[in-house]
Amino acid sequence: ISYTAYSVATLMDDLDDNALKAADKYENQYVELTGRLGNIDSSGKYIDIYPTNNPYAFLGVQCYIQTEEQKAKIMDDNTVSVKGKITSVGEVLGYNLDIDDIEVK
């Protein structure tokens, strides 16, 4: 699998500009995203990552954790890089991604 690198800020800007075009561009694509770790689900099912250039962002990429190893890497707030497949794109809920790998920066 080949991953295309983007920042979360780029994805969010594209979504704000034209949600239909963003969906066409990113849905079902394998990506490597770098962003600020935000919400961490208390049951460890998902994390949210937000643009690093916007400390007030409340919409980002919801990333679904696939393994216990991935869960162990996200215990603290940090900048993270995730690799995975974008499974859906929406103007209200943002992006969903299934994590293949995660690296804490």
Side-chain angles (χ1 to χ4, degrees):
I1 297 173
S2 177
Y3 298 92
T4 304
Y6 297 104
S7 71
V8 174
T10 299
L11 268 71
M12 299 317 298
D13 288 345
D14 287 351
L15 187 63
D16 287 342
D17 289 343
N18 185 327
L20 179 62
K21 191 174 180 179
D24 186 57
K25 180 176 181 178
Y26 297 112
E27 196 163 356
N28 295 316
Q29 186 178 145
Y30 287 91
V31 298
E32 179 177 356
L33 301 177
T34 301
R36 176 177 49 84
L37 184 58
N39 293 334
I40 302 171
D41 177 54
S42 63
S43 62
K45 295 188 185 302
Y46 66 87
I47 59 173
D48 290 329
I49 57 175
Y50 301 109
T52 55
N53 65 347
N54 183 353
Y56 305 108
F58 62 91
L59 185 62
V61 180
Q62 191 165 71
C63 304
Y64 291 90
I65 297 167
Q66 307 296 314
T67 67
E68 290 298 318
E69 180 183 59
Q70 293 171 357
K71 190 186 300 185
K73 291 182 180 181
I74 50 96
M75 292 302 202
D76 297 312
D77 291 347
N78 288 299
T79 299
V80 295
S81 177
V82 296
K83 290 181 180 178
K85 181 179 180 181
I86 294 180
T87 56
S88 68
V89 179
E91 66 276 4
V92 176
L93 298 177
Y95 297 86
N96 290 323
L97 176 138
D98 287 341
I99 298 173
D100 291 336
D101 188 38
I102 186 168
E103 179 183 326
V104 177
K105 304 263 181 180

